[in-house]
Amino acid sequence: YIRYRFDPDTFPNGLPNMSVEIQGKKVFDPRNSNTAFSNNPALCIRDFLTDTSFGLKITTAEINDSATHHGGFAYAAARCEDTINSNNRYECNGIFDLSQSPKQILDQLLTSCSGKLIYQNGKFNLYVGFHNTPSITLTEEDFIEPIQLTTKLGRKDIFNRIAGTFYDASNKFIVQEFEPIASSQYKTEDNNEEITADVEFSMTTSATKARELALIELLKARQQIILACTTSLKQGLQLQAGDFVNVTNTRLGFSSKPFEVQEWNLASSDVEGAPQLVCTMVLREADPNVYTNSVLSNINTSKEIATDPNPNTNLSAANTATAPSSLTLTNLTGGEVEASWTLTTNMSQIQLEFKLSTDSTYTEQLMVGHNRRFTIKGLTAGQTYNFRVKSINSVGTSSSFATANITL
């Protein structure tokens, strides 16, 4: 509270409006069991959950305080204090009104650390914005039912420009707009339509930190592939919502492609005519680079990266075909020539062509795409022949030719 000694000569227009800077409430740190003032988002969120007067009165038995598990509050607190641009990765500076709902308060607190609060296995888990290297890779043998794949989100779920507000500590904590982050690269991908997301960082007091948080949201939004799958318990029980996992699937062109587990459920499924417990999950592709210092320290460059840091697939695009290289011709005598070539990717077909150097028309030899050599017979000794080879993908797109000549 504030206490005044009123003096009508000093305050002829009545009591003045007062503003102060406060440290707030001391919070408990599970890393060292100290209770002290802190702007660490993980500690502030933990305090609101457990506070018995103004918080949710959650018991400590329901709080994951692990320092090693990625959802632990001690682990999250350590990540918040990582150094980004010579400052803490995340800080929570602000106030909330108890007239707001608990969800509204938690949502505000979570904006300060790009975080997710998840209740699972009987405990609250906090995942702040940080990419943990996956320790598990899901492969074809782990998927019990067909994968459902969404390759692109609808317009309401993506954006190429992000704008919003924060409370500026350098200007008496007045609400200010931070400089919007707009990507011309992403706008081009969205048919040149500018799509803006508006955000409010009510627990952020630095323009630099507000723009870092905004860039994180922009880059995360551009990872659009969503994979709904059913897995065996062997792998599924080692994962939970908030974890990162690699997926390898030859048909989809995934090779240790990182995903984030967004939903996790234990369910029953009919497997070969018998009921079986399985894990159903919704995974969304993730960019491991989003939270790194190199990305966040150069926003203008990072928002315009033309090459997807987490490629959608390693399969060839439908309108391109990988060209053969290193076409080698070997004279086997008797009018026979062995042609061999290098091709890094299996294509649908290979087309080998040859002709006399004096002719204008090639003879074509079509073969399946896994071939890397072929023998041509019935050629004439003493003549020079031109050879060329190209690949053809499954939709009929041809590559460029690799060429070579030989005199028999």
Side-chain angles (χ1 to χ4, degrees):
Y1 61 90
I2 297 175
R3 193 173 187 177
Y4 290 92
R5 183 183 295 275
F6 183 70
D7 184 339
D9 294 327
T10 305
F11 305 114
N13 297 319
L15 294 179
N17 292 324
M18 300 294 292
S19 60
V20 296
E21 289 188 32
I22 59 175
Q23 285 186 297
K25 183 175 180 288
K26 292 182 179 180
V27 294
F28 177 78
D29 190 336
R31 295 172 294 176
N32 52 28
S33 297
N34 290 341
T35 300
F37 293 118
S38 175
N39 62 1
N40 187 307
L43 304 185
C44 294
I45 293 169
R46 185 189 186 281
D47 184 78
F48 179 71
L49 290 174
T50 58
D51 188 278
T52 55
S53 298
F54 306 108
L56 298 184
K57 303 178 183 180
I58 303 299
T59 64
T60 55
E62 290 184 277
I63 301 292
N64 177 4
D65 275 332
S66 173
T68 55
H69 184 271
H70 299 160
F73 277 80
Y75 182 85
R79 299 288 68 76
C80 288
E81 294 175 2
D82 290 340
T83 300
I84 294 290
N85 291 334
S86 303
N87 294 297
N88 288 336
R89 179 186 293 276
Y90 301 119
E91 292 182 350
C92 180
N93 296 296
I95 61 172
F96 56 80
D97 192 324
L98 289 176
S99 65
Q100 298 173 288
S101 70
K103 182 181 185 304
Q104 289 174 320
I105 294 171
L106 285 170
D107 285 345
Q108 288 181 37
L109 294 170
L110 289 167
T111 63
S112 67
C113 59
S114 189
K116 301 181 185 71
L117 186 65
I118 303 172
Y119 188 81
Q120 52 195 350
N121 297 326
K123 291 182 182 290
F124 282 93
N125 296 261
L126 176 64
Y127 293 86
V128 298
F130 182 79
H131 182 83
N132 296 289
T133 303
S135 59
I136 295 175
T137 298
L138 298 176
T139 62
E140 283 96 332
E141 64 182 17
D142 297 314
F143 298 114
I144 292 177
E145 296 180 355
I147 292 172
Q148 299 178 37
L149 196 68
T150 302
T151 58
K152 194 173 180 63
L153 300 179
R155 184 190 181 283
K156 67 181 180 66
D157 296 314
I158 60 170
F159 50 91
N160 49 54
R161 181 180 182 272
I162 185 165
T165 58
F166 71 105
Y167 287 76
D168 190 355
S170 66
N171 190 22
K172 299 181 179 180
F173 299 97
I174 295 174
V175 177
Q176 302 276 9
E177 293 183 356
F178 61 82
E179 182 185 349
I181 300 175
S183 170
S184 58
Q185 170 70 30
Y186 296 151
K187 182 179 177 181
T188 300
E189 294 176 7
D190 297 333
N191 298 318
N192 288 317
E193 179 186 2
E194 183 174 271
I195 308 172
T196 300
D198 292 308
V199 294
E200 180 183 353
F201 296 122
S202 58
M203 296 291 169
T204 300
T205 58
S206 160
T208 298
K209 189 59 63 179
R211 296 192 83 228
E212 288 176 5
L213 290 166
L215 179 65
I216 288 173
E217 297 308 312
L218 175 63
L219 297 180
K220 284 167 54 179
R222 305 309 298 193
Q223 300 298 316
Q224 301 181 56
I225 292 179
I226 294 178
L227 187 154
C229 61
T230 302
T231 70
S232 63
L233 295 183
K234 177 182 176 182
Q235 292 285 56
L237 288 179
Q238 299 183 64
L239 296 167
Q240 62 182 27
D243 287 345
F244 290 93
V245 61
N246 286 329
V247 176
T248 294
N249 186 292
T250 304
R251 184 175 64 85
L252 298 176
F254 296 165
S255 178
S256 294
K257 181 176 174 64
F259 284 82
E260 181 183 3
V261 182
Q262 293 199 319
E263 297 178 23
W264 186 99
N265 288 287
L266 191 64
S268 176
S269 179
D270 233 5
V271 180
E272 297 179 353
Q276 178 177 319
L277 281 176
V278 296
C279 296
T280 62
M281 290 181 280
V282 175
L283 314 178
R284 181 166 177 173
E285 65 172 334
D287 176 5
N289 303 310
V290 166
Y291 310 101
T292 61
N293 193 83
S294 59
V295 168
L296 297 176
S297 62
N298 196 340
I299 292 177
N300 289 335
T301 298
S302 299
K303 69 184 178 68
E304 303 294 355
I305 296 176
T307 303
D308 189 346
N310 182 13
N312 291 340
T313 179
N314 58 24
L315 299 176
S316 299
N319 60 349
T320 63
T322 303
S325 62
S326 304
L327 177 59
T328 302
L329 305 176
T330 303
N331 187 355
L332 301 180
T333 70
E336 296 185 5
V337 170
E338 181 187 72
S340 61
W341 55 90
T342 299
L343 185 58
T344 57
T345 304
N346 280 340
M347 304 300 289
S348 179
Q349 294 178 309
I350 297 292
Q351 185 168 307
L352 178 65
E353 303 179 2
F354 64 96
K355 70 176 182 68
L356 277 168
S357 60
T358 55
D359 289 346
S360 58
T361 304
Y362 282 91
T363 299
E364 299 175 359
Q365 180 66 53
L366 203 60
M367 63 198 80
V368 293
H370 65 261
N371 283 288
R372 297 295 183 269
R373 64 182 64 245
F374 194 82
T375 300
I376 300 296
K377 301 179 180 181
L379 304 180
T380 303
Q383 298 293 324
T384 299
Y385 287 87
N386 306 137
F387 280 74
R388 63 185 187 183
V389 62
K390 69 176 181 180
S391 64
I392 304 172
N393 69 15
S394 57
V395 297
T397 302
S398 295
S399 73
S400 57
F401 282 103
T403 62
N405 303 318
I406 189 172
T407 300
L408 305 185

